[in-house]
Every structure is written in C-alpha cells, then in structure tokens.
Amino acid sequence: MASARGAIERTLAEIGHVLEQSLFAETLSRQPGLLQALDPRVKIVGLLALLVSVSVSRNLWVIGGLYGVALALAVVSRLPVGAFVRRVWLVLPFFTGMVALPALFMTPGPTLWSLPFDWVITRTGALTALFLLTRVGTSVSFALLLIWTTPWNTLLKALSVLRVPDGFILILAMTYRYIALLLGIVDDMFLSRKSRVVGKLSTADERRLLAASAGALLGRSLQLSTEVYLAMQSRGYRGRPRTLDTFAMTARDWAWSFGLVALAAVAMVVGQVGG
Amino acid sequence: MAEPVFALQNVDFAYDSGQMALQDVSLSICPGERIVVLGSNGSGKSTLLKLLDGLYYPTGGELKAFGRALTEAAFADDAFNFAFRRRVGLVFQDTDVQLFNASVFDEVAFAPLQLDLPRADVTARVEAAMRDLRIERLRDRAPHRLSGGEKRRVALASVLSLGPEVWLLDEPTTGLDPRSQSWLVDFICAQGAAGRTVVTATHDLTIVDTIADRVLVFGEDHRLAAAGTPAEILSNSELLLACNLTHEHWHRHPEKPDGHRHLHYHGAPHDHGHERTG
C-alpha cells in the first residue's frame, strides 16, 4: 500500500530491523565459543591475514578452502551458520553482482554461452566474475566472523592497541553510538507521526512530511553533536583521546595467532598457483 | 572568609542568534555550599551551569572561579584547564549527551585518562566510582542500552572518578522513578556532607529543602529574581508563582511532618483530614 501509513510502517520496520541486528551481533559476541574466547587482537591480526590471502589468491580452490575455514570457525564459535551464510550470499549479488555483471560480457576470451541478440558470455569473463564474487563473499564472511564474535567496544579497544589512530577510533565509536541514538529518535518521530496520521496522504504530502522529518533529525543531530563536544570538554578532552588497555594474551591466544597467520601464509603461497 | 568558588559580577550571556539566556547576574558561591538553582524551563539554569563549568564564556560582566577569570584565554593554558577540570565536574541533564563511550568502564575512565593521571590511578578511581555507585555489573555494557536510572548512575560515576571539589548537576532527577530519585537525593546529600560544593539546577520543588542550604531563583526574564534559604524561598508563594515554579493547585501544609506537599484539583474531595493552609 503506497499510503503514508505504509511508508511510516516500512520505515519503522527497517529501524527495528537495524536495532535488532545490532542487538543480535552483541548477543552473539557475548555467548561462549572459540572465537569469542580469543583475545580480540589475535582475531584482528589472524582474520586480517586470511583476508589478505583471499584477496591475493589466484586459485578458486584455495578461496573455496578459505571459505570452508570461515564456515568451520563459525561452527566452533556456535554462530547460527544458516544466518551466517544468508547474511553474506543474499546481499552479495545485489552489490558485487552488479559490479561483476559487465565482466561476463566484456572480458575477451573463448565463448562459454551464446545468448540472444549476439550477447556472449566468455569463459574468461565468467571466471573473472566468479573470482570477484567468491573473493568478496569469503572476505565479508571473515569480517562478519570478527564482528559477530567481538563486542564492539572490545573491538575498538583492540584497534587502539594495534596502533590505529585514536582519533579514528573515537570517530568510529561515536558514530556507532549516535547512530543507535539517532535511530531511536527517528523511531520516536515516526511513531508519533503514525499516532497522528488518519487516512491517506497524497504523495506530495508524504514527501513533505519525510523532508520535514529529515530536517528535524538533522537539527537534532547538530544540537546533539555540540552538546556531546561540550560534555567531552567538561571532562578534560583536548582533542587527544586516550584509552586504557586491559588485554592479556594467554598461551592459547598465541597459539591461535600463529595458527591463523600460518594458515594465511600457506594459502597465499598455494593461491599463487592458478586454478 | 574563604575565597568564593564562583563569583559572578553583572554577567550576561547571549547565544550567537542574539537570544538572551542570562541577564545581569551577580552572585557568589562559597566552598562547601549546597546551592539549588531554581527556574522554569528556559530561564537560563543550564546556561548558568555551563558558564560555571567554563564551557561558555560570559558575553558581558565577569565570572571568576577560584579567583581567576573564566575566559577562553584562561582555558587555552593547559595547566589552568587541567587544574580546573580536576576540580569541577558537570553532570549534564541529558545522559545520552554525557555517555558517549562504547562501554561503561570506558565512560568512567574517560575523565581521569584525559587528565593524564597515572594508569594505575585511573583504574583505581574507576573501580572505586563503579563500586560507590553500584554499577560494577554494568562495566562491559554499552551505556546507550541501559535504563534511565542506570544511565544516571553511570553519568554520576563518570564525574565521580574525577573526584571533583565542585559538583554541577543539571536537572539530575529528570525522568527518574521514585526509588532512583530518592537514591540520587541521598547521593547529593552525601557529596555535600563530604564538604564538596554542590550546585543543582532543578525546577523540582520537592527536593529543594533536602539538598540545599541556599536557593537562587531565576525568573523567566533570565535574571536572578531572589536568593535565600529553602524555607524563605519555598514559603514565598508569590515569588514561585511569578517565576512559573508552582501553580495555585500545588501547596504545602507546614503544620504537617515534612510540610506535606501535594498537588490536587480544587473542587475535588480533599480527604486528608486537614484544612488547606498554603
């Protein structure tokens, strides 16, 4: 139904979905499991090494093998494997698929399939698209493993320990923090609108309402950012954020760290052999 | 006589838009005083607290803290800034503004870390503040996922970890349930009893006589309308009405224990077994 009520409800549902996903990830990251128990620095370094090996690999079997590793890690970390697979492969075709599509037709090479109107999919084009899709799918899977098994604040702290600039981390932290807050405000705005909308609105009225909401939200976010900066200043912030490192590496962390990096190194070497 | 913590002489403050927030305010606050700043919405209470915390600077008149003028130039001096921030803590009205870190632990550690305190000292302060406010179990939680009462405790802990001599509290009871409100009043009283200066901005008349030695009343014209003891101010119905701090249906019964304040509709049965007196 293309009424204002429909638009409002769709927006509310989307906001609810985003908030639900963030809560879902936080819940998963706090449940027992192999990756959840590892030091976050080990996960960042290990999974980053695997990501690099995926991107430089020129062998589909190696990429497939690394995706198998990602699935195995998801299983031993007690993540919902169905949701893990769907999250990557249902979204991927819309984004990466769009990028990969022209390669099917435009890459010169032997013909794989002939289509009507003289369109031809080449074997080289299909391989290029397949490489792109599998590389991105496997990389996103490793990134998802990190996000689903590490509480957000722990992840940020680990980035800080790994010498990622503090300013960058602070921006990430505040962005995440205030996206949740602003989503809450948007949710309230749309709920209050829903409670007052009776009957159908014309498309023009609907557009006007949405524009007014966007404007109100922008004003609120500007006001909020000014106040937050004052609150930071009040507690001594002078443009140089500082954090407290409370991590401690165990023997198991070291073992997994070496294991993941070694696996990535082997995959990198084997992946150089085309296949 | 001890040097005042804050001394304001004919202070004005106007926003960039030209809108006046405070006009011709002169007052002083002494060490260890418990002050309540009363005023209706928009009377300039929050602005006053931000001026006292050196976040805004007067657009007219002079504001001194610990004997030194609070100006932009003064805060450009790191030594002064650090010394001032260690001594004065502000708890914002909106906890969502104050709680910007990813976890409760980080939130409480933020201020001591910014002030270059030794790491061991920071950890000890954070643990002590979380213990005092009974929020240890929340240490790894994201502040934005907490309840209103929990957020308020974390906001207080984030200032308590500084160990300030001066507390500035902006509408601290807003949105709290009765139990949290009562706990908060006890907390403010404890800070006062420990000799700290506590300035609380509120329009909640029910807590004034418990948490204040002196009351400053701001009118809707953004000027200081009156100053006095809680008893003097709360018994001045004309003043409270003029400053939009009460309504004729809100009244007290001074002859009853704790003044028996309440709100009721005139014309409705008034079955308290006593006559209306105030």
Side-chain angles (χ1 to χ4, degrees), chain A residues 61-117:
Chain A
W61 291 107
V62 170
I63 296 174
L66 287 172
Y67 183 67
V69 170
L71 282 179
L73 286 172
V75 171
V76 292
S77 302
R78 300 186 193 178
L79 300 179
V81 179
F84 180 75
V85 172
R86 280 196 302 276
R87 187 70 181 267
V88 175
W89 297 106
L90 283 185
V91 178
L92 200 68
F94 290 103
F95 296 98
T96 314
M98 298 264 239
V99 180
L101 195 64
L104 286 176
F105 306 100
M106 296 170 73
T107 315
T111 301
L112 189 62
W113 285 304
S114 292
L115 301 171
F117 306 109

Side-chain angles (χ1 to χ4, degrees), chain A residues 25-39:
Chain A
E26 210 166 288
T27 310
L28 287 177
S29 69
R30 292 186 191 281
Q31 72 184 22
L34 177 88
L35 285 177
Q36 289 90 332
L38 285 184
D39 186 295

Side-chain angles (χ1 to χ4, degrees), chain A residues 71-217:
Chain A
L71 282 179
L73 286 172
V75 171
V76 292
S77 302
R78 300 186 193 178
L79 300 179
V81 179
F84 180 75
V85 172
R86 280 196 302 276
R87 187 70 181 267
V88 175
W89 297 106
L90 283 185
V91 178
L92 200 68
F94 290 103
F95 296 98
T96 314
M98 298 264 239
V99 180
L101 195 64
L104 286 176
F105 306 100
M106 296 170 73
T107 315
T111 301
L112 189 62
W113 285 304
S114 292
L115 301 171
F117 306 109
D118 293 335
W119 285 70
V120 173
I121 294 178
T122 65
R123 182 180 157 74
T124 323
L127 262 178
T128 307
L130 194 61
F131 262 112
L132 184 63
L133 282 171
T134 51
R135 270 191 189 135
V136 173
T138 309
S139 302
V140 172
S141 299
F142 281 126
L144 203 57
L145 276 178
L146 183 64
I147 293 165
W148 277 10
T149 61
T150 320
W152 178 244
N153 53 319
T154 312
L155 187 63
L156 292 180
K157 203 177 278 186
L159 288 174
S160 168
V161 174
L162 292 169
R163 307 283 173 212
V164 174
D166 284 341
F168 179 73
I169 293 168
L170 189 77
I171 290 170
L172 270 182
M174 291 183 66
T175 304
Y176 178 80
R177 163 79 182 84
Y178 286 100
I179 279 177
L181 184 63
L182 290 172
L183 277 175
I185 294 172
V186 173
D187 198 37
D188 285 344
M189 279 167 59
F190 276 85
L191 273 177
S192 90
R193 175 149 304 157
K194 185 181 171 185
S195 75
R196 287 176 288 156
V197 168
V198 180
K200 283 186 176 181
L201 290 181
S202 68
T203 311
D205 281 340
E206 196 178 321
R207 267 203 310 274
R208 259 195 296 278
L209 280 173
L210 284 171
S213 302
L217 187 66

Side-chain angles (χ1 to χ4, degrees), chain A residues 22-23 26 30 153 157 177-178 180-181 227 230-238 240 242-244, chain B residues 50 53 75 78 81 85 96-100 102-103 106-107 111 113-114 116 119 140 144-145 158:
Chain A
S22 116
L23 193 63
E26 210 166 288
R30 292 186 191 281
N153 53 319
K157 203 177 278 186
R177 163 79 182 84
Y178 286 100
L181 184 63
E227 285 278 302
L230 289 178
M232 293 171 77
Q233 270 190 312
S234 172
R235 287 196 276 154
Y237 181 70
R238 299 272 290 161
R240 295 186 304 271
R242 293 164 171 86
T243 50
L244 206 57
Chain B
K50 284 176 182 143
D53 197 35
F75 280 96
D78 268 353
N81 185 53
R85 296 292 170 213
D96 280 326
V97 161
Q98 179 136 10
L99 308 180
F100 46 78
S103 75
D106 290 341
E107 199 63 68
L113 277 171
Q114 304 314 306
D116 278 342
R119 299 259 150 169
D140 294 322
H144 67 279
R145 293 208 185 279
S158 72

Side-chain angles (χ1 to χ4, degrees), chain B residues 175-239:
Chain B
L176 293 185
D177 57 43
R179 193 183 299 146
S180 300
Q181 184 168 331
S182 169
W183 171 86
L184 185 72
V185 167
D186 290 346
F187 177 84
I188 295 172
C189 290
Q191 295 305 315
R196 293 177 190 115
T197 310
V198 185
V199 182
T200 311
T202 185
H203 53 209
D204 180 358
L205 299 182
T206 62
I207 61 170
V208 172
D209 47 5
T210 315
I211 64 167
D213 304 318
R214 192 154 65 95
V215 181
L216 308 170
V217 184
F218 280 79
E220 291 181 295
D221 59 356
H222 313 293
R223 293 173 189 271
L224 184 60
T229 64
E232 287 166 353
I233 298 295
L234 294 176
S235 60
N236 190 342
S237 305
E238 274 181 36
L239 171 74

